[in-house]
Amino acid sequence: MNPVLRTDHLKVHHDTARGTLKAVDGIDLSIAEGETLGLVGESGCGKSTLARCIVGISRPTDGSIAIQGVSGGRGRAARLDRAQTVQMIFQDPSGALNPRLRVDRIIREPLDVNNVGDRSERRDKALKIAREVGLSDYHLDRMPHELSGGQRQRVSIARALALNPKLLVCDEAVSALDVSVQAQVLNLLVDLQKDLGLSYLFISHDLAVVRYVSHRIAVMYMGRIVEIGPAEDVWRGRLHPYTRALTASIPDEAARRDTGELLEGDVPSPVSPPSGCAFRTRCRFARQQCAAERPELRRVGTHEVACHFAETISD
Amino acid sequence: MTDTPPLLSIDNLAIGQGDNAPIVERIRFTVARGETVGLVGESGCGKSMTALATMGLLPGSLRVRAGEIRLDGAPIHALSQRKLRHLRGPSMSMIYQEPLTALNPVMTVGAQIREVLTTHLGLSRAKAHARAIELLTLTRIPDPAARMGQYPHQMSGGMRQRVVIAIAIACQPSLLIADEPTTALDVTVQAQILRLLKQLQTEQNLGLLLITHDLGVVRQVADRIVVMYAGSVVEEGDTDTVLDNPAHPYTAGLIAARPKGSRTEGAGRLADIPGSVPAPENRPTGCVFRDRCAIGQAICEGRRPLLTAHAGHSVRCHFPLSAASLASEVPS
């Protein structure tokens, strides 16, 4: 069966005064039906650019995106086509909703724009989706500012679901929500996946959240995937030094502990990335080969990792 | 305990706007010298307003309506801005969530640190320059002399937050308030900044009031934790005690709502807390948490629970959870 999403060597390069900025630099990934792929990495690693490409807001400069096995073009028509299958939920629900539209109009808008059914069918459909995401008739009559943050995010989710997409791209979709509300929305996303067979590309800087919702996890660094595999294998059997540093940096909620593996410094400038392995300037295991030769993703055990010394640097 | 007053003492503090419902209602806690207190709660619980009231920086028409804020035993909540200005910097200072907006974009980093030193301590330009480099060194900024001439936009988020910290500790305050200092930063940088704050605290014997929504951050750096909900302190005590054996259903709910483990390996549904934090004017009578609480009973509606001692910490609940009952009574 064809994966819901497949990207082949996807690149987004920007020409800047100081050189080419490789925001996304050759990403191959696929997401199966009903699967959640978690995407993590520091700010500036290209995860949001990748997300915007997949939804069609940004255009890749090279490579291709296939939705359910059909590789659309890069033009406007292809992007509009894609909108039927791929939808996005943004971080800040207040900024993502039109403040002048009532909630029922917001949810109905994708149906109106795409001329789905007649008026009453569209109204019924909007009501049905609203109920699926836990909103009542009461909420449909409100304006966005009358709702709480959690309810607004439910409206965003309902709008995203209006066209029966196969894939939802969630870019920090729960990051702006308070912990108690975050749990409500995460539960909702999990339920919707079960009921509708949705796939998710789930981007978050909150690694505990990504670990919880994902079937597979991909770790990005400077525009490339450095490790990808089944969620718990990447989490527990992390191989790439960057993945190890990321997970070691999370303040543990359950117990006080010393974080030994802290990363020094910041992500280097994406305009002039280090030669060889982009992570080598912050890697405590870096050796000569790392500067000379760029490691490609290769299979090690159950997952794939882009590190020359993945097998030898375990503790 | 000795007779010396705590470094910061917040007593019965109420904050509000005119006759509107108070945003912060009669809260009480202390911060000792050399101690880190984590002030935790969801948005709208009043934690940032408590910090701003302490600094004398309440926005708009918000005022301290009752209670006291004491610094080293002396009341500061009624001081004039003129007098407060002498305290801000040398006695207490604050760092904010977003380092980019806390810094002046058209002044070099060096000039911004020097400004604090010449204004508050009356240092000469040359002395201030030397001390500024010292401060950047103290906050572990590589190549500090070169950084002095840079503008904030030339620095990364982590470096900027180090500059903000350098400014905050420039006049060697005894109290440092950090409002979500790492929330805007990546986890890797967050770990660096938390480590730095902890080091500085030890070196300078600072009292640190750390405001955060992140229980992981509190667990790692705070000696004591104060949990706020809807303008009230609902639980307070030693960090490990409270997080290991939360007695307030809200604290327990916050801990349970965080994802643990992986769904692919059987981690169950998250225990969410139904509803959301009420606005100040919609707070319920009696216990502020009762409309979201799974174990609420009639008395919770009628009478507001007092903050009372319970198994080594304080909790504001008529039916505090005990370690044994936790498994069955946490909202699930």
PDB file of all heavy atoms in Angstrom, chain B residues 27-39:
ATOM      1  N   ILE B  27      -2.203  35.709  48.893  1.00  0.00           N
ATOM      2  CA  ILE B  27      -1.205  34.647  48.842  1.00  0.00           C
ATOM      3  C   ILE B  27      -0.078  34.944  49.816  1.00  0.00           C
ATOM      4  O   ILE B  27       0.145  36.086  50.224  1.00  0.00           O
ATOM      5  CB  ILE B  27      -0.629  34.450  47.426  1.00  0.00           C
ATOM      6  CG1 ILE B  27       0.069  35.721  46.938  1.00  0.00           C
ATOM      7  CG2 ILE B  27      -1.713  34.047  46.455  1.00  0.00           C
ATOM      8  CD1 ILE B  27       0.948  35.447  45.764  1.00  0.00           C
ATOM      9  N   ARG B  28       0.623  33.886  50.180  1.00  0.00           N
ATOM     10  CA  ARG B  28       1.640  34.007  51.210  1.00  0.00           C
ATOM     11  C   ARG B  28       2.756  33.010  50.905  1.00  0.00           C
ATOM     12  O   ARG B  28       2.487  31.832  50.697  1.00  0.00           O
ATOM     13  CB  ARG B  28       0.986  33.654  52.545  1.00  0.00           C
ATOM     14  CG  ARG B  28       1.853  33.713  53.765  1.00  0.00           C
ATOM     15  CD  ARG B  28       1.062  33.152  54.935  1.00  0.00           C
ATOM     16  NE  ARG B  28      -0.212  33.861  55.078  1.00  0.00           N
ATOM     17  CZ  ARG B  28      -0.606  34.450  56.198  1.00  0.00           C
ATOM     18  NH1 ARG B  28       0.136  34.400  57.267  1.00  0.00           N
ATOM     19  NH2 ARG B  28      -1.767  35.055  56.255  1.00  0.00           N
ATOM     20  N   PHE B  29       3.977  33.478  50.801  1.00  0.00           N
ATOM     21  CA  PHE B  29       5.134  32.583  50.751  1.00  0.00           C
ATOM     22  C   PHE B  29       6.402  33.388  50.998  1.00  0.00           C
ATOM     23  O   PHE B  29       6.355  34.621  51.041  1.00  0.00           O
ATOM     24  CB  PHE B  29       5.222  31.808  49.426  1.00  0.00           C
ATOM     25  CG  PHE B  29       5.441  32.659  48.202  1.00  0.00           C
ATOM     26  CD1 PHE B  29       6.724  33.019  47.788  1.00  0.00           C
ATOM     27  CD2 PHE B  29       4.363  33.089  47.450  1.00  0.00           C
ATOM     28  CE1 PHE B  29       6.917  33.794  46.663  1.00  0.00           C
ATOM     29  CE2 PHE B  29       4.543  33.863  46.308  1.00  0.00           C
ATOM     30  CZ  PHE B  29       5.823  34.217  45.923  1.00  0.00           C
ATOM     31  N   THR B  30       7.499  32.710  51.204  1.00  0.00           N
ATOM     32  CA  THR B  30       8.767  33.394  51.440  1.00  0.00           C
ATOM     33  C   THR B  30       9.858  32.810  50.559  1.00  0.00           C
ATOM     34  O   THR B  30       9.739  31.689  50.065  1.00  0.00           O
ATOM     35  CB  THR B  30       9.239  33.231  52.902  1.00  0.00           C
ATOM     36  OG1 THR B  30       9.434  31.828  53.146  1.00  0.00           O
ATOM     37  CG2 THR B  30       8.247  33.794  53.885  1.00  0.00           C
ATOM     38  N   VAL B  31      10.887  33.599  50.354  1.00  0.00           N
ATOM     39  CA  VAL B  31      12.094  33.113  49.685  1.00  0.00           C
ATOM     40  C   VAL B  31      13.269  33.487  50.582  1.00  0.00           C
ATOM     41  O   VAL B  31      13.415  34.654  50.950  1.00  0.00           O
ATOM     42  CB  VAL B  31      12.293  33.765  48.299  1.00  0.00           C
ATOM     43  CG1 VAL B  31      13.546  33.217  47.622  1.00  0.00           C
ATOM     44  CG2 VAL B  31      11.075  33.560  47.410  1.00  0.00           C
ATOM     45  N   ALA B  32      14.076  32.509  50.952  1.00  0.00           N
ATOM     46  CA  ALA B  32      15.236  32.792  51.798  1.00  0.00           C
ATOM     47  C   ALA B  32      16.462  33.058  50.933  1.00  0.00           C
ATOM     48  O   ALA B  32      16.494  32.729  49.757  1.00  0.00           O
ATOM     49  CB  ALA B  32      15.500  31.618  52.735  1.00  0.00           C
ATOM     50  N   ARG B  33      17.452  33.696  51.525  1.00  0.00           N
ATOM     51  CA  ARG B  33      18.735  33.896  50.846  1.00  0.00           C
ATOM     52  C   ARG B  33      19.318  32.524  50.475  1.00  0.00           C
ATOM     53  O   ARG B  33      19.259  31.597  51.275  1.00  0.00           O
ATOM     54  CB  ARG B  33      19.681  34.592  51.809  1.00  0.00           C
ATOM     55  CG  ARG B  33      20.639  35.538  51.193  1.00  0.00           C
ATOM     56  CD  ARG B  33      21.331  36.313  52.288  1.00  0.00           C
ATOM     57  NE  ARG B  33      20.594  37.527  52.631  1.00  0.00           N
ATOM     58  CZ  ARG B  33      20.745  38.683  51.979  1.00  0.00           C
ATOM     59  NH1 ARG B  33      21.599  38.766  50.986  1.00  0.00           N
ATOM     60  NH2 ARG B  33      20.061  39.739  52.322  1.00  0.00           N
ATOM     61  N   GLY B  34      19.823  32.411  49.272  1.00  0.00           N
ATOM     62  CA  GLY B  34      20.437  31.153  48.865  1.00  0.00           C
ATOM     63  C   GLY B  34      19.441  30.048  48.539  1.00  0.00           C
ATOM     64  O   GLY B  34      19.820  28.902  48.334  1.00  0.00           O
ATOM     65  N   GLU B  35      18.173  30.417  48.479  1.00  0.00           N
ATOM     66  CA  GLU B  35      17.154  29.391  48.235  1.00  0.00           C
ATOM     67  C   GLU B  35      16.499  29.607  46.868  1.00  0.00           C
ATOM     68  O   GLU B  35      16.336  30.733  46.417  1.00  0.00           O
ATOM     69  CB  GLU B  35      16.081  29.491  49.330  1.00  0.00           C
ATOM     70  CG  GLU B  35      14.960  28.475  49.193  1.00  0.00           C
ATOM     71  CD  GLU B  35      13.823  28.713  50.189  1.00  0.00           C
ATOM     72  OE1 GLU B  35      13.402  29.873  50.376  1.00  0.00           O
ATOM     73  OE2 GLU B  35      13.359  27.726  50.765  1.00  0.00           O
ATOM     74  N   THR B  36      16.120  28.515  46.214  1.00  0.00           N
ATOM     75  CA  THR B  36      15.365  28.630  44.979  1.00  0.00           C
ATOM     76  C   THR B  36      13.935  28.177  45.227  1.00  0.00           C
ATOM     77  O   THR B  36      13.712  27.063  45.691  1.00  0.00           O
ATOM     78  CB  THR B  36      15.961  27.750  43.862  1.00  0.00           C
ATOM     79  OG1 THR B  36      17.305  28.153  43.647  1.00  0.00           O
ATOM     80  CG2 THR B  36      15.177  27.901  42.578  1.00  0.00           C
ATOM     81  N   VAL B  37      13.004  29.068  44.952  1.00  0.00           N
ATOM     82  CA  VAL B  37      11.597  28.717  45.092  1.00  0.00           C
ATOM     83  C   VAL B  37      10.966  28.709  43.703  1.00  0.00           C
ATOM     84  O   VAL B  37      11.088  29.676  42.953  1.00  0.00           O
ATOM     85  CB  VAL B  37      10.861  29.725  45.999  1.00  0.00           C
ATOM     86  CG1 VAL B  37       9.363  29.449  46.013  1.00  0.00           C
ATOM     87  CG2 VAL B  37      11.424  29.668  47.415  1.00  0.00           C
ATOM     88  N   GLY B  38      10.340  27.597  43.354  1.00  0.00           N
ATOM     89  CA  GLY B  38       9.654  27.491  42.071  1.00  0.00           C
ATOM     90  C   GLY B  38       8.199  27.885  42.237  1.00  0.00           C
ATOM     91  O   GLY B  38       7.488  27.296  43.046  1.00  0.00           O
ATOM     92  N   LEU B  39       7.770  28.910  41.498  1.00  0.00           N
ATOM     93  CA  LEU B  39       6.373  29.343  41.553  1.00  0.00           C
ATOM     94  C   LEU B  39       5.702  28.798  40.290  1.00  0.00           C
ATOM     95  O   LEU B  39       6.051  29.177  39.178  1.00  0.00           O
ATOM     96  CB  LEU B  39       6.314  30.871  41.602  1.00  0.00           C
ATOM     97  CG  LEU B  39       4.961  31.548  41.800  1.00  0.00           C
ATOM     98  CD1 LEU B  39       4.291  31.072  43.069  1.00  0.00           C
ATOM     99  CD2 LEU B  39       5.133  33.065  41.850  1.00  0.00           C
TER     100      LEU B  39
END
